[in-house]
Amino acid sequence: MSAPMEISFSPRPPSPDSACTTATPTSAVPAAAVSSSPQQAAVAPSPADDKVLVSVEVLLYATSAARHEDVQAAVERMLEDRSLSYVDGPVPIPADDPFLLENVKRIQICDTDEWVENHKVLLFWQVKPVVHVFQLSEEGPGEEPSEDDTLSSFNEWALPAREFDGLWESLLYEVGLKQRLLRYAASALLFTERGVDPCLVSWNRIILLHGPPGTGKTSLCKALAQKLSICFKSRYSMCQLIEVNAHSLFSKWFSESGKLVAKLFQKIHEMVEEESNLVFVLIDEVESLAAARQAAISGSEPSDSIRVVNALLTQMDKLKSWPNVIILTTSNITTAIDIAFVDRADIKAYVGPPTLQARYEILRSCIQELLRVGILTYPQGGSLPCILNYLTLKERKHSPEAAEPHGAVHLSSLLYEAAELCEGLSGRSLRKLPFLAHASAANPSSCDASAFMHTLIQTARREISESCG
């Protein structure tokens, strides 16, 4: 099966203007602007085999009844007719294409970030677009109630779900982490479907993300499931996410925990028996399983606790025989994870506090949203500048335009100063920071961007001081 491997999307060359625009049709910009530098102009068209596979996600309106194959063909023709520079972001829907205008809500180029090398943009002749057409499920999560209807043992989503739309793009980590997870999933599903002998080559389709609280591990698992449900839409007609409440296995249902585990996995087995169904099982805070087993071994808990952990591990082992299931797990306490579970995980990825670049980009996305809705305004009613992306700011930070008091470089430099102060803060805390800064503003009903940046810096200093005790 070749389709899953198509998600090995490329690392992207950051465009100097990528803070403001992402993909430029030649109808809007002169052709020379697409490859204006001497380096780019000298690049010859790549042979077909050397072309970079780039994901293009096409979201249909909920009311669209168009066949996905027809939309895919129309988008491919559109991309062929309109030469693009390929960087992450939206692609304008042509005004002269009534079929796409009627059916398509959004076209977006995704996951090109790892192709950012030497500041070269991927040009249209270097790229083979891989078009994924999908609609979002509007159903929301379904719950599996307990026998006394007081506790839900797991939640269930049909994917791709509206709740997770845009989640993948909003999560910022060190370069390569998200691509590593995508490529792992492609290989894991391919190996199983091609019948690779597991006695010779071992893999379990289990991912373990561990690290301190607030770093987005659970969100990354949900976003990964959403992303894979889109990438593999042509192979699996239905995708589902099962989020297990690990604590429920040992609290409310402690005396009958074995029965609960059996009921849970019976439901999962029913799902995976349908070959066209791709199932993701998310077990959050999996260290609670390890803690229960350790307590049982030490004699501080009844033996029922260790039996249920063993039962759970056995059930997870049984899922190995099914090619269409991936288990996603998280842990806040790395040292507490049971070694028996660690051995089963194919990928054990540490998700730590954001780097400086990630902190800057997280805060930048927050500021752009406040600018978009008008909570922040540009001073004296002027035209609104872009907040530069991290790499572009590094290039322009010492340029003459940095002296302009309300220019893009100056505002971006203030945001950079705030990001430097926030070392050690989690992504969760960083996304709260602009709200706290606004609540501290002298005149919150009228915040210009420049004044707000200074307030953001003061708020960052206060939060770091308070977090240090």
Side-chain angles (χ1 to χ4, degrees), residues 85-99:
S85 56
Y86 280 78
V87 290
D88 284 6
V91 176
I93 300 174
D96 59 352
D97 193 325
F99 176 73

Side-chain angles (χ1 to χ4, degrees), residues 393-409:
L393 174 62
K394 295 291 282 186
E395 291 176 353
R396 301 186 187 176
K397 197 171 183 181
H398 302 292
S399 65
E401 60 183 312
E404 299 176 14
H406 300 297
V409 178

Side-chain angles (χ1 to χ4, degrees), residues 12 21-23 86-92 106-112:
R12 131 183 114 179
T21 59
T22 50
Y86 280 78
V87 290
D88 284 6
V91 176
R106 182 181 74 221
I107 301 176
Q108 184 160 312
I109 295 170
C110 302
D111 303 302
T112 61

Side-chain angles (χ1 to χ4, degrees), residues 113-124:
D113 56 298
E114 286 190 9
W115 287 101
V116 180
E117 294 180 21
N118 302 321
H119 301 271
K120 293 180 182 177
V121 176
L122 282 173
L123 301 178
F124 62 92

Side-chain angles (χ1 to χ4, degrees), residues 169-241:
E169 291 76 19
S170 72
L171 297 171
L172 301 169
Y173 301 100
E174 61 180 279
V175 174
L177 174 60
K178 294 197 291 186
Q179 282 289 330
R180 178 188 176 197
L181 295 175
L182 283 175
R183 288 170 175 158
Y184 160 79
S187 295
L189 292 171
L190 182 68
F191 272 44
T192 308
E193 289 200 344
R194 292 289 176 86
V196 175
D197 187 345
C199 296
L200 299 177
V201 181
S202 178
W203 73 102
N204 294 317
R205 296 191 306 281
I206 298 176
I207 294 173
L208 171 61
L209 303 182
H210 60 95
T215 53
K217 298 180 295 297
T218 304
S219 295
L220 180 54
C221 285
K222 292 177 178 178
L224 177 62
Q226 175 95 339
K227 191 75 173 178
L228 293 172
S229 73
I230 295 170
C231 294
F232 289 97
K233 195 67 177 174
S234 61
R235 168 62 182 86
Y236 298 98
S237 60
M238 185 174 183
C239 299
Q240 292 170 284
L241 171 64

Side-chain angles (χ1 to χ4, degrees), residues 11 34 36 45 50 86 135 138 159 197 207 233 242 247 257 275 279 302 309 332 371 375 400 409 411 414 439 445 454:
V34 177
S36 57
D50 294 336
Y86 280 78
Q135 286 173 297
E138 307 279 351
L159 299 177
D197 187 345
I207 294 173
K233 195 67 177 174
I242 302 295
H247 293 290
S257 48
E275 293 183 359
V279 179
V309 178
N332 292 333
L371 291 169
I375 288 178
V409 178
L411 292 177
L414 291 174
S445 61
H454 290 284

Side-chain angles (χ1 to χ4, degrees), residues 273-288:
E273 284 175 356
E274 177 56 57
E275 293 183 359
S276 62
N277 190 16
L278 180 59
V279 179
F280 302 93
V281 180
L282 169 57
I283 305 177
D284 202 13
E285 298 183 9
V286 74
E287 71 271 9
S288 61

